[in-house]
Amino acid sequence: MVGMFERGDGDLGIGNLFISALGGRNKHQHYTAPFGQENTCFMIKKGTSTPRWQSLALPFRKDTWIAVLVMALLLGPIFFALSRPHVTGRYEKLNYQSMAFVSLYTFGVHLKVAQTQIPVSLSLQIFVAFLWVYVIIVLEAYSAKLVSFLTVERIPEGINTIEELYQSSLSVYGNTIYYQESLELAQNVHARKLADHYYTIKDFDVAYKNIMNGQGAYMASSNNLIYMMSLYSKNGIPTMRLLKECFQADNTAVGVQSHSPLKRNLDQAVNWVREAGLPYQWRRETLMILRQERRANASNDAMDAPEPEPEPESEGENRVSFSLEHLQGVFIMYGVGCGLSLIVFVSELPIYY
């Protein structure tokens, strides 16, 4: 296309054309005002989703589960010890129960099951009151996260940065030498090293086969990659994903001949198009048309399957498991409740002895 401008064979070049001086292209053509900005990103094979049965443990992280388990194991003995000194002086139904019963009592509270035997002593009442508040908050937090992990597919973390991509030794594919030249001039040292692993492949079907075999990653503009993800999805589920870290941002424009008399009017028209938000709307319409065509050619089962629009971050990384940092407030609150209960418990001892 740049050569056609230089020879005067073309007036306009419309496409995913980056405003750049790489390859000396600005010596043979000019650009109109930019109509958008594109991030150059990397696309790799989508990893295997986490088995659904593991979703039951995903709402909490390992340290949170350990903390909850320790609390559950300690509650029974603490409850049992607080009820022992009250055998005389005040009738406490829980006095005569075994350790097994008290453990089941606290386990029932963890399931939010109302207990018929209510503590009488003030220290035990404070302990049970804070126990219920703790249990309600923890269970509600678990239930809310569980709905998300049960209904949305979760992909384990994989390659997400340029450094990780370089360390993986995967090849990098693209449809033009422009991306290799961009990598060679990058400030990121790992991006520059990726230039040695770059291969130009014009046929995306060949690149797609290599990507799905786990041999490489594909490099292109983000919108182009999103389009390819939608085009090569299966039953509405993308088979590829984008890395979180992109390479660089470039302005996109319409190409014209050097010193073209059309440039002034074209700049004004392109600015109108950009200000009206039409490039974004046209991308959405393109994906909608693509889905309609794929549904029309698919089988009846495939037509009924939902086909969400792929996004650069389509793995559900925002569904973060609760850590101790998230729930530290409830543990601190319950620690305060246990301390208050112990103070009252100590103050009650002289009454009965």
Side-chain angles (χ1 to χ4, degrees):
M1 183 174 68
V2 175
M4 293 179 66
F5 285 137
E6 184 183 19
R7 295 189 301 269
D9 295 338
D11 297 312
L12 301 177
I14 300 175
N16 201 37
L17 185 60
F18 293 168
I19 298 179
S20 173
L22 285 178
R25 64 168 64 179
N26 60 338
K27 298 179 182 178
H28 310 291
Q29 71 167 37
H30 283 173
Y31 301 91
T32 66
F35 59 80
Q37 188 179 71
E38 290 278 7
N39 291 319
T40 300
C41 299
F42 301 90
M43 181 171 64
I44 61 175
K45 178 183 177 182
K46 186 179 180 182
T48 304
S49 60
T50 303
R52 292 292 185 181
W53 63 268
Q54 295 184 11
S55 299
L56 295 177
L58 292 178
F60 292 160
R61 294 181 182 176
K62 184 183 296 184
D63 55 350
T64 310
W65 277 118
I66 293 175
V68 172
L69 179 61
V70 170
M71 290 289 291
L73 293 177
L74 291 178
L75 286 176
I78 294 175
F79 197 109
F80 185 76
L82 288 175
S83 64
R84 290 303 88 194
H86 299 286
V87 176
T88 61
R90 184 177 296 179
Y91 181 69
E92 183 74 69
K93 294 182 179 180
L94 296 170
N95 288 349
Y96 306 101
Q97 304 299 339
S98 64
M99 181 66 189
F101 175 85
V102 173
S103 298
L104 291 175
Y105 183 98
T106 56
F107 180 73
V109 174
H110 276 76
L111 298 180
K112 293 199 297 186
V113 177
Q115 304 299 312
T116 57
Q117 295 189 7
I118 301 176
V120 176
S121 62
L122 180 60
S123 59
L124 208 53
Q125 289 177 349
I126 293 175
F127 179 84
V128 172
F130 276 90
L131 171 62
W132 269 103
V133 176
Y134 158 80
V135 167
I136 290 174
I137 295 176
V138 170
L139 286 184
E140 290 299 326
Y142 176 82
S143 301
K145 279 291 182 180
L146 183 62
V147 172
S148 173
F149 285 112
L150 287 176
T151 55
V152 183
E153 182 184 29
R154 184 176 187 272
I155 306 297
E157 288 288 335
I159 299 174
N160 278 310
T161 66
I162 296 177
E163 181 179 358
E164 292 171 348
L165 179 60
Y166 169 73
Q167 293 175 349
S168 69
S169 300
L170 292 177
S171 300
V172 179
Y173 311 117
N175 63 355
T176 173
I177 196 68
Y178 170 82
Y179 293 120
Q180 184 176 20
E181 295 175 347
S182 300
L183 290 171
E184 292 172 348
L185 298 175
Q187 295 182 352
N188 187 313
V189 61
H190 298 101
R192 290 200 301 271
K193 293 179 179 179
L194 281 178
D196 298 331
H197 303 280
Y198 183 88
Y199 300 93
T200 302
I201 299 180
K202 297 294 184 180
D203 188 353
F204 183 77
D205 287 334
V206 176
Y208 177 73
K209 182 179 179 181
N210 293 340
I211 293 172
M212 297 311 294
N213 289 333
Q215 299 175 356
Y218 192 78
M219 185 178 182
S221 66
S222 57
N223 283 317
N224 189 7
L225 295 179
I226 291 175
Y227 175 80
M228 302 307 293
M229 286 170 56
S230 180
L231 186 63
Y232 283 81
S233 62
K234 294 182 179 179
N235 297 326
I237 301 176
T239 58
M240 299 173 288
R241 69 175 181 88
L242 301 189
L243 269 63
K244 292 181 180 179
E245 183 181 9
C246 290
F247 170 56
Q248 65 181 14
D250 291 283
N251 289 323
T252 53
V254 177
V256 296
Q257 294 181 15
S258 298
H259 310 292
S260 172
L262 304 175
K263 185 178 184 309
R264 181 176 180 180
N265 290 334
L266 285 172
D267 285 346
Q268 186 178 30
V270 169
N271 284 329
W272 288 340
V273 169
R274 186 189 72 248
E275 292 170 359
L278 291 178
Y280 174 76
Q281 179 63 24
W282 289 336
R283 285 195 294 268
R284 289 177 55 88
E285 291 178 354
T286 300
L287 290 175
M288 291 176 61
I289 294 173
L290 173 65
R291 293 192 191 95
Q292 293 172 359
E293 292 178 349
R294 294 184 72 248
R295 290 193 185 101
N297 297 329
S299 62
N300 292 333
D301 293 339
M303 286 195 309
D304 294 335
E307 187 165 354
E309 179 178 344
E311 296 291 343
E313 297 179 2
S314 57
E315 300 181 54
E317 17 330 87
N318 291 329
R319 291 180 297 279
V320 179
S321 301
F322 283 131
S323 66
L324 277 178
E325 182 179 358
H326 293 108
L327 296 176
Q328 60 178 319
V330 65
F331 286 104
I332 293 175
M333 178 211 66
Y334 193 62
V336 172
C338 290
L340 181 60
S341 177
L342 179 61
I343 293 174
V344 176
F345 169 73
V346 172
S347 66
E348 289 176 339
L349 288 179
I351 299 177
Y352 305 115
Y353 292 96

